Amino acid sequence: GESTGGEHPAHRSSSGHSRTSRAVQGGGLTISTLPDNMTRVVEDSGKYYTWRSFGPEDQRTQDLWVDMSDVRHGQVRVHGILSNSYKQAVRVALSFDFPFYGHYLRQITIATGGFIFTGDITHRMLTVTQYIAPLMANFDPSFSKESTVQYLDNGEVFVIQWEQVRLSGRESVGAFTFQAALYKTGTITFSYRDIPMSLDVIGSAEHPVKAGLSDAFMVMSPSSQSTGSPRQTIYEYHRVEIDTTKITNYSAVEFTPLPTCLMHDSCELCHSSNQTSGCSWCHVLQRCSDGMDRHRQEWLDYNCSEEQSKDATCEDYSRDSSNKSEGLANTGVIAGITAALVLLLALVLVALYINCHPAAASPLYLIQRRKSYWPSLKFQKQQPGYTEVEGEGREKDSIVEAGPC
């Protein structure tokens, strides 16, 4: 039997509750989080995940544990920096698209403190939101040579294991060993092997203690300061909190993702699917959403909410598109005829010019010169954008702890 007695729907925030905001050092970024008891509000149940927890007596606990010493699971990398440092985080690429709250991630940030940061923008308060946390706590892998942070990626699952890690300042309590597994399907599992003490007493002022999931979106808001530069605000829109008293030796938690609006790629599916609710289709973005996801800023920028208030149907959108394409087709025919006439006129003029000026460059030379421009244009298009080039130098980013949140 499961130790929790069934499935738990993940709950979403109620907009009527107050939030707490934390200013991040360096300015320009504010983080707005949900109050501590938000996930206990049964207002919007079953929105993103359902989860089940298992105890020592459950076979599923054993099944979910990934034995890192078994080469059949893939090659394990023991991370040198993370295994020998305190309050450090390192960005790691995934070999597959991992769906998290309906968004596909190709990289994550592994932290020494027993959690994974899933945000795009690395800031100094990684512990606040956008995390996958089997056991976020004040771990210090640098204390002991036995402590390691290791991971493997076999294309189907990415597993991170915090092995024999000890709590900073309380090292004599014993070593913790646990792991998180991110499956290509979007399933997330937390597995616990060694939990030497009860988790309700491991809290510290230096580091929050949490187990669960959290996601947020970032929006730009006009600054109230005289500078007029916009502020970036990160809003936590959903959190799953696991009861840490259920985390013991040989226990596990399994999260199963639920369908989200973002998975629908057509207006019809967006409005008619019985797998999701509250979805709206934004025609200009060709995206289905409830407006509460990581694309929130685009949803606002393109007035997608206003588009919904016009009560336009999918038929209206397709009619508009067909009218536009007909108009474009007519315009294209006219433009084609015009271009042909202009080209003909140009060739006549060139022929007349060469007839009158035999010493002028031949038409073949003009064509050869024109050809030489194409490779450079093509090369410019192929150049990738280097907007966020982050190499080994970013590995030393430190986490500044947030207060209990």
Side-chain angles (χ1 to χ4, degrees), residues 44-55:
D44 196 4
S45 61
K47 183 73 181 177
Y48 298 101
Y49 291 90
T50 58
W51 68 93
R52 301 167 81 176
S53 51
F54 304 95

Side-chain angles (χ1 to χ4, degrees), residues 14 29 55 82 95 120 244 253 265 278 283 294-295 309 321 329 332 368:
S14 160
L29 183 68
L82 292 176
S95 70
D120 298 322
T244 50
V253 184
D265 56 6
H283 186 61
R294 292 190 181 192
H295 304 298
S309 63
S321 299
Q368 284 174 335

Side-chain angles (χ1 to χ4, degrees), residues 171-227:
E171 292 85 2
S172 61
V173 166
F176 293 72
T177 297
F178 55 94
Q179 61 182 215
L182 317 182
Y183 289 84
K184 197 175 185 176
T185 58
T187 294
I188 299 168
T189 62
F190 297 163
S191 294
Y192 308 92
R193 210 22 78 96
D194 301 316
I195 305 294
M197 67 184 290
S198 173
L199 297 188
D200 53 1
V201 292
I202 71 166
S204 72
E206 288 83 34
H207 201 291
V209 175
K210 302 181 201 175
L213 312 175
S214 168
D215 201 25
F217 55 76
M218 180 178 286
V219 292
M220 302 295 290
S221 51
S223 175
S224 56
Q225 300 165 350
S226 56
T227 56

Side-chain angles (χ1 to χ4, degrees), residues 22 33 36 113-115 125-137 190 192 199 202 207-214 236 239-242 244 247 402-405:
R22 303 176 188 283
T33 58
D36 283 344
F115 70 99
M125 292 176 77
L126 303 187
T127 61
V128 177
T129 183
Q130 293 190 303
Y131 57 74
I132 297 170
L135 182 53
M136 182 192 292
F190 297 163
Y192 308 92
L199 297 188
I202 71 166
H207 201 291
V209 175
K210 302 181 201 175
L213 312 175
S214 168
E236 181 181 43
R239 190 196 305 166
V240 177
E241 289 174 357
I242 296 303
T244 50
I247 297 173
C405 48

Side-chain angles (χ1 to χ4, degrees), residues 8-14 17 37-46:
H8 303 274
H11 308 312
R12 185 174 162 191
S13 70
S14 160
H17 288 260
N37 65 351
M38 277 322 315
T39 52
R40 294 174 183 62
V41 179
V42 189
E43 176 196 276
D44 196 4
S45 61

